[in-house]
Amino acid sequence: MIQTHPELGGRLLAGHPLAHWAIDAVRSHHERPDGQDYPDGLVGDAVPHAARVVGICDAFDAMTSRRRYRVAMPVPQALGHIAGALGRQFDVPLGHHFLALGAVGLPTVHDVADQLFAYLTMVEGLKLAAQTFSKDVKQLSCC
């Protein structure tokens, strides 16, 4: 049942006019660079960028949050787990960025996640700008 939530979330978002901003992150946030997760077993760069960012934040939040069945993992231990799983469970460049943010002592997971979301928003904005520029250039060259 737990492994169906990415696909279910993707289906729930599919009809929304702004779904393109989040659907990759929702649908693929459990994919891993080594292809050993779900729902599609994507490998490396086939895992959408947004999903790689959310995957790190989601794992960190899960490790550092108290659950009914366990205590929260200390932040240094969670960061150590992320460092040890780079390239397998987590994207290497994004993982290094996340670890660097953790190293400067951001006080909460929300601060780290906010920083990564700002980074993701910047990257997605640059992609959109590049696509728009490319379309504009193509229109100019055809006339």
Side-chain angles (χ1 to χ4, degrees), residues 7 46 51 60 68 84 104:
E7 290 181 271
F60 182 79
R68 287 180 299 186
V104 298

Side-chain angles (χ1 to χ4, degrees), residues 15-98:
H16 193 279
L18 300 176
H20 66 280
W21 288 105
I23 201 159
D24 285 345
V26 169
R27 189 166 187 314
S28 301
H29 70 280
H30 281 284
E31 300 285 0
R32 297 169 36 152
D34 65 5
Q36 299 299 308
D37 226 329
Y38 60 93
D40 299 313
L42 300 176
V43 177
D45 289 338
V47 178
H49 188 266
R52 289 181 264 158
V53 171
V54 171
I56 295 170
C57 294
D58 183 50
F60 182 79
D61 180 57
M63 288 184 273
T64 58
S65 296
R66 186 181 62 79
R67 305 283 196 231
R68 287 180 299 186
Y69 51 88
R70 65 164 173 79
V71 298
M73 182 183 292
V75 168
Q77 185 179 352
L79 292 173
H81 175 76
I82 290 170
L86 294 179
R88 291 186 324 277
Q89 185 176 356
F90 305 112
D91 178 86
V92 173
L94 292 173
H96 284 303
H97 186 68
F98 189 92

Side-chain angles (χ1 to χ4, degrees), residues 109-122:
V109 65
H110 302 289
D111 292 334
V112 175
D114 288 347
Q115 291 291 322
L116 280 171
F117 184 76
Y119 171 76
L120 172 63
T121 302
M122 177 195 67

